[in-house]
Amino acid sequence: MHISIKKLTPTNSNDFLHYFDYDAFSDHEEWAGCYCLESHLSKEENDALWGKKNKRRKKAKKLIQEGVMTGYLIYNGSDVIGWCNAGDKANYYPISNNDDFHTNNAEKNKIKIIYCIDIAPAHRGKGLANLIVEKVLADAKEEGYSYVEAYPFTDKNMAYQYKGPVRLYEKYGFEIYRELECFYIMRKVL
């Protein structure tokens, strides 16, 4: 494998879209229309668009073009084999405006978050989630962030841990900042 990790930009947005069109949830068709919008839409808008794959795809493309949706694509050669939704917490309005997620004022360039990690089924269990967390942490430090946060589910036995499992974040020195009913806020001080 020839692995590289690249930031999502308008230039490689078609790679992102192709990944979600065909590979991201090839083992879970019921999630195929996700396009990783949950963290960028209000609950009402997300619910209204659920099941409308073409509309969600267009919305994702628009958010990428506007620089609102950010993250990292994991490539094997020229093929995308994974995705991490990560960026400045202030740009994730449903999160930064939700009291459950409140840790500090959502000032720009203070907190970088990892919201979602998705690895294509054929490439899971090969350490790619580790590589992506390492990349996010390195970039966050270089970009001058004070913290990186992640929001793994409290149910460690849940079949699909799309926010990353607790043990992944513990491995990199994240600590539980707050426990909520369904998820933890885990934080690493940089």
Side-chain angles (χ1 to χ4, degrees):
M1 289 198 325
H2 177 68
I3 302 299
S4 61
I5 299 173
K6 299 177 185 176
K7 285 187 176 184
L8 175 65
T9 66
T11 305
N12 62 8
S13 63
N14 285 334
D15 293 347
F16 168 90
L17 295 169
H18 185 272
Y19 176 70
F20 276 91
D21 289 343
Y22 299 103
D23 300 315
F25 300 111
S26 59
D27 60 339
H28 285 284
E29 184 60 33
E30 67 276 20
W31 300 331
C34 165
Y35 292 95
C36 215
L37 290 173
E38 177 182 271
S39 60
H40 295 288
L41 304 177
S42 69
K43 181 174 179 358
E44 296 77 24
E45 187 177 11
N46 191 49
D47 290 347
L49 288 176
W50 194 254
K52 299 174 180 151
K53 189 172 179 178
N54 288 333
K55 287 185 179 185
R56 291 182 71 85
R57 187 182 199 280
K58 287 178 187 175
K59 182 69 173 183
K61 186 168 187 160
K62 180 178 186 282
L63 292 174
I64 295 166
Q65 297 301 322
E66 293 171 348
V68 173
M69 182 181 282
T70 58
Y72 297 85
L73 295 168
I74 306 169
Y75 288 83
N76 180 17
S78 61
D79 298 325
V80 175
I81 59 170
W83 157 251
C84 176
N85 184 342
D88 194 305
K89 187 174 184 177
N91 291 340
Y92 291 74
Y93 304 110
I95 293 169
S96 61
N97 293 320
N98 181 331
D99 288 341
D100 285 345
F101 287 92
H102 183 75
T103 52
N104 289 89
N105 292 334
E107 302 169 29
K108 273 240 181 263
N109 302 316
K110 183 167 185 166
I111 303 170
K112 189 165 190 168
I113 69 169
I114 298 172
Y115 191 79
C116 172
I117 299 174
D118 181 79
I119 308 297
H123 299 281
R124 293 180 189 147
K126 297 179 181 177
L128 297 175
N130 292 316
L131 293 177
I132 201 69
V133 171
E134 291 168 8
K135 177 69 170 157
V136 172
L137 290 172
D139 283 1
K141 188 170 186 175
E142 185 178 303
E143 293 161 354
Y145 284 91
S146 300
Y147 310 99
V148 175
E149 289 182 356
Y151 312 109
F153 295 112
T154 54
D155 180 355
K156 295 175 185 170
N157 296 317
M158 188 175 177
Y160 188 60
Q161 297 283 335
Y162 69 88
K163 294 185 181 191
V166 170
R167 70 183 181 282
L168 172 66
Y169 299 115
E170 288 175 336
K171 178 179 179 178
Y172 290 97
F174 285 73
E175 295 179 351
I176 295 174
Y177 184 89
R178 184 181 310 133
E179 182 177 345
L180 298 162
E181 185 177 339
C182 295
F183 65 93
Y184 297 107
I185 295 175
M186 295 189 76
R187 174 184 264 199
K188 179 171 176 68
V189 178
L190 298 176

